[in-house]
Amino acid sequence: MLSRLLKEHQARQSERRELQERRRREAIAAATRLTEALVDHLNVGVAQAYVNQRKLDHEVKTLQVQAAQFAKQTGQWITMVENFNQALKEIGDVENWARSIEMDMRTIATALEYVYKGQLQPSCS
């Protein structure tokens, strides 16, 4: 009877160990699945951040190229405006020069007219 009780006790302990071992394996499997799910969830976020970073890098490069082109074009526009401004100044200088010549010519014409009229009048002496 004692040996039967001992065998039953050992059998129950063996069943409990097996049950405990099975539960431990299930707990480990569940923890592994949970860990994998969490890592997968985090990896999705990391992957999205990586994709976004690549897009941002591409946009930055595009923006830099466009900014350089705009700066070049702006420099060309500034040069054109400065040249146009210089041309306007030169036109103003030519206009002033023409007015000056015109005034000189009028003065000369008036002087010649006086001289001519003075020669035409008979001298009364």
Side-chain angles (χ1 to χ4, degrees):
M1 172 152 168
L2 190 55
S3 83
R4 187 176 54 97
L5 284 175
L6 180 62
K7 284 181 185 181
E8 286 176 5
H9 175 69
Q10 287 175 345
R12 280 192 307 247
Q13 274 190 334
S14 177
E15 286 176 10
R16 285 184 186 155
R17 275 190 228 127
E18 287 176 16
L19 179 63
Q20 187 176 10
E21 182 63 27
R22 188 181 42 160
R23 287 181 180 167
R24 186 181 70 78
R25 283 192 303 262
E26 288 174 0
I28 289 172
T32 302
R33 286 193 304 272
L34 175 64
T35 303
E36 288 174 355
L38 289 173
V39 168
D40 287 344
H41 179 68
L42 290 175
N43 282 342
V44 168
V46 169
Q48 186 62 42
Y50 178 74
V51 168
N52 290 344
Q53 182 64 39
R54 289 192 60 193
K55 286 180 184 177
L56 284 173
D57 289 343
H58 176 71
E59 290 295 324
V60 164
K61 288 177 184 176
T62 303
L63 183 60
Q64 286 174 337
V65 168
Q66 290 176 349
Q69 289 173 346
F70 181 69
K72 181 180 177 182
Q73 188 176 26
T74 302
Q76 290 171 345
W77 288 345
I78 288 172
T79 302
M80 286 174 53
V81 167
E82 287 174 351
N83 291 340
F84 180 71
N85 195 21
Q86 184 62 34
L88 286 178
K89 286 180 182 178
E90 289 173 4
I91 288 172
D93 291 343
V94 168
E95 185 179 355
N96 286 337
W97 174 78
R99 283 187 187 146
S100 175
I101 295 292
E102 182 181 5
M103 289 297 288
D104 289 346
M105 293 305 287
R106 283 187 182 168
T107 303
I108 292 171
T110 304
L112 288 174
E113 191 177 318
Y114 283 134
V115 168
Y116 179 73
K117 284 182 181 177
Q119 287 179 354
L120 286 179
Q121 292 179 359
S123 55
C124 296
S125 334

